[in-house]
Amino acid sequence: MEIIAAGLMVSLTLIVITSRGQGKDTSILWASVLISVSMVLNISPVYVLADAWGGGRNHVDLGANLLLLTGVHFLARAIHRAAQPASKGRKSSYDVWAKAGLVGAAASATILFILIDAPITSTSFMRDYGGQLTAGLYSAGQYIYIGAVMATAGWTCLRFRKAWTTGIYTAAFALVGLGCLSAVLLVIDVLVLDALHVLGMSKALSALSGIYAVVNSATFVFLCTGMALPPAGRKIAAIYETARTSSVLAGLKPVWGQAVAGNTGLTLDLDVVPNRPDRRRRELHRMIVEIQDSLAREPETRDRIGAEGLGKLASASDHLGRLSWRPR
């Protein structure tokens, strides 16, 4: 289970890193990186190795949980900003309360962890030590914060769902909303588990532990898939767009050569086209402009390129008009 969760988060992180453009909000990047590290630390062999370096007293559990809390904070902020693009750059009351809650949850978790008697490394920390009141409060405090921020993020998705009625964002926000709902259900299950463990009601723990496994998996599947869809979709669209533009450019180049033949004042100087991700589009734009300039300055150019060349020019112009010129 831990390996699946970690794999999903690492995959999301790679997608975010490879598709992120300059100037984009870094919330989802921070969220994916922090939660990925937290999930990797929860893989049993990694946990045992890392905890041995830390003295063998389960300090890795605290570290992984603090990373998870911070990552969830950034994840919720990314959901809020994606649902309300106009709010970017403005400080809202939610940001203030979320940061205060994070600081409070992290501080209380650290204090309570110090009070827990957990002298031996355990890959099932709450199962082995969750019967202590301090351990129950340690877990509950963290999950109350997680539940609060994810419930707020889910409500934001619900409120602004009408703003995303087309394209891949519809599916993405639906999945994120389901992930937020699943996260709240997970928190409720964990809080009940903590209470039962502290009260010593071990028989009821087995049934709820099975529910925890299912809901935990569903939460990560929904959230990771939902958050990965937009950047993955943009990356796929960019690859297709670049390939299509290269094809159009290759077909137009002979027409351009015929159009500017003998005109020394017209030349496609590739050195002035910046070597950027949109280089092919800019090159196509420049080529179309030079053909059009040649047609305007020399009427015989129309005869040189012929009807087929004019058709390719019109097709290339239509393709260029459909391209997105947003920075990537």
Side-chain angles (χ1 to χ4, degrees), residues 169 234 278 281 324-328:
Y169 288 97
R234 288 194 298 269
D278 59 356
R281 291 179 296 180
S324 166
W325 287 84
R326 294 171 298 178
R328 299 193 183 280

Side-chain angles (χ1 to χ4, degrees), residues 34 37-38 41-42 59-69:
L34 292 171
V37 175
S38 175
L41 288 175
N42 276 307
H59 292 105
V60 173
D61 186 84
L62 174 62
N65 286 334
L66 292 179
L67 288 172
L68 178 63
L69 287 175

Side-chain angles (χ1 to χ4, degrees), residues 242-259 268 280 283-284 287-288 291 304-317 319:
T242 300
R244 175 62 180 154
T245 301
S246 297
S247 176
V248 172
L249 192 59
L252 188 64
K253 196 165 187 178
V255 179
W256 168 81
Q258 293 170 338
L268 184 63
R280 305 299 282 172
E283 190 175 331
L284 178 61
M287 190 175 286
I288 290 173
I291 295 173
R304 289 203 301 269
I305 65 177
E308 184 179 355
L310 291 173
K312 289 183 178 180
L313 175 62
S315 178
S317 298
H319 172 73

Side-chain angles (χ1 to χ4, degrees), residues 5-6 16 23 27 30 42 47 61 101 107 111 131-132 147 172 185 204 213 235 255 276 284-285 327:
V16 171
S27 296
W30 279 109
N42 276 307
Y47 183 92
D61 186 84
I111 293 171
Q132 301 176 46
L185 295 176
K235 190 67 175 178
V255 179
R276 290 164 44 177
L284 178 61
H285 176 261

